[in-house]
Amino acid sequence: MNTELGFAHFLAQADLVARCILVAMLLMSIGSWFLIIYKGARAVIAHQRSRRFLSAFWEAPNLEAVAQQLRGTEVGDPFSNLVRRGLAAIEQHRGRDEARRLVDAGTSDEFLTRALKRSIGEDMARLEFGQGFLATVASTAPFVGLLGTVWGIYHALVAIGAAGDAGLDKVAGPVGEALIMTGLGLAVAIPAAVAYNFFARGNKNVRAGLDSFAYDVFAFLGTGTKTAPALAAVYQAGDRVQRRMLDENRAAQAQEA
């Protein structure tokens, strides 16, 4: 029985194609673990900062106190960035002489709504950084490993055929070595798949929180008053949106008629 078979023997006997496949899986693994550690650390930090900011926001006596808190501080989480962008939009809209640019067009409510939507979209784009790579690795790494296995089995069978000895002890070793590639592919894909699902779920929760918080920010900045949960102002804003949509639908129906 040959006791020299194993991963080291497989590497020594691997040709250029097998080595390229191994390098590709190594790069995918390094990239995946870098994103897992980087995004995981940023997610933990952002979550802690969001909790501190939201606690300070709801405890603040008015929006001016929130603005003072945000001045001179770096953007550390999506929630503080949402309020910062909303305050900047209000100041920009109040200070304009006339709408000379398309971005400044519309009423104050429309201008503020667009600013809040842009803030949420930009923050979500930053949070989703690297997830495409994780999804690609999770879906392709097993097939890359399988390609290496097929290539290794092919060369092993060719070598056995050339030697003229097809005994089980001669076939099992090389074929077993080739299966290492499939195992490596799964080892690369599984962490990437788990991390992608974890980050996707976390981003979904952040998006839901931002959408809910945006209604309160819109109500506070639009009315200038702080009600208990700002439900009355939110309902009024929702009624205005519904009335606007009904008017637009009636106008479209009149044009079609």
Side-chain angles (χ1 to χ4, degrees):
M1 183 176 179
N2 191 354
T3 60
E4 296 180 357
L5 296 177
F7 185 66
H9 182 265
F10 173 74
L11 290 178
Q13 299 297 322
D15 59 358
L16 179 61
V17 175
R19 291 179 182 274
C20 290
I21 293 174
L22 286 171
V23 170
M25 288 194 293
L26 178 62
L27 293 177
M28 287 191 290
S29 180
I30 293 174
S32 298
W33 281 106
F34 169 78
L35 289 173
I36 291 171
I37 297 173
Y38 175 76
K39 289 176 64 67
R42 287 181 62 90
V44 171
I45 295 173
H47 178 69
Q48 294 175 349
R49 290 179 176 176
S50 296
R51 291 184 60 182
R52 289 196 298 266
F53 171 77
L54 290 175
S55 177
F57 178 86
W58 294 116
E59 293 296 329
N62 49 52
L63 287 177
E64 181 60 29
V66 176
Q68 290 290 345
Q69 177 186 353
L70 291 175
R71 290 192 183 100
T73 60
E74 297 181 357
V75 177
D77 64 276
F79 293 90
S80 62
N81 187 41
L82 183 69
V83 177
R84 186 192 301 269
R85 294 289 293 271
L87 292 171
I90 291 297
E91 293 297 328
Q92 181 180 350
H93 193 269
R94 289 175 180 174
R96 68 175 187 175
D97 296 332
E98 58 182 7
R100 298 180 180 178
R101 299 180 301 170
L102 185 61
V103 70
D104 296 328
T107 64
S108 60
D109 287 350
E110 294 171 343
F111 188 78
L112 177 59
T113 300
R114 294 199 305 271
L116 296 179
K117 286 184 176 180
R118 284 197 301 270
S119 176
I120 293 175
E122 292 172 0
D123 284 322
M124 293 309 302
R126 283 193 289 268
L127 290 175
E128 293 173 358
F129 164 76
Q131 287 188 211
F133 179 82
L134 291 175
T136 301
V137 171
S139 60
T140 60
F143 297 101
V144 174
L146 183 60
L147 174 62
T149 295
V150 172
W151 187 261
I153 291 176
Y154 165 73
H155 279 280
L157 294 178
V158 170
I160 291 171
D165 187 357
L168 182 60
D169 58 336
K170 301 296 183 181
V171 176
V175 172
E177 285 184 341
L179 290 174
I180 293 175
M181 299 289 275
T182 300
L184 292 176
L186 294 174
V188 173
I190 290 174
V194 174
Y196 173 81
N197 292 328
F198 175 81
F199 292 131
R201 179 66 178 177
N203 291 344
K204 183 179 179 180
N205 293 336
V206 172
R207 179 60 184 264
L210 283 174
D211 288 338
S212 177
F213 185 60
Y215 283 105
D216 290 329
V217 174
F218 177 84
F220 296 155
L221 295 179
T223 62
T225 59
K226 181 175 181 180
T227 59
L231 290 179
V234 172
Y235 290 151
Q236 293 175 3
D239 291 339
R240 289 198 301 270
V241 173
Q242 291 180 354
R243 288 196 298 270
R244 189 184 308 130
M245 293 176 63
L246 289 174
D247 294 339
E248 292 176 355
N249 291 335
R250 292 195 188 105
Q253 292 175 359
Q255 292 179 357
E256 292 179 356

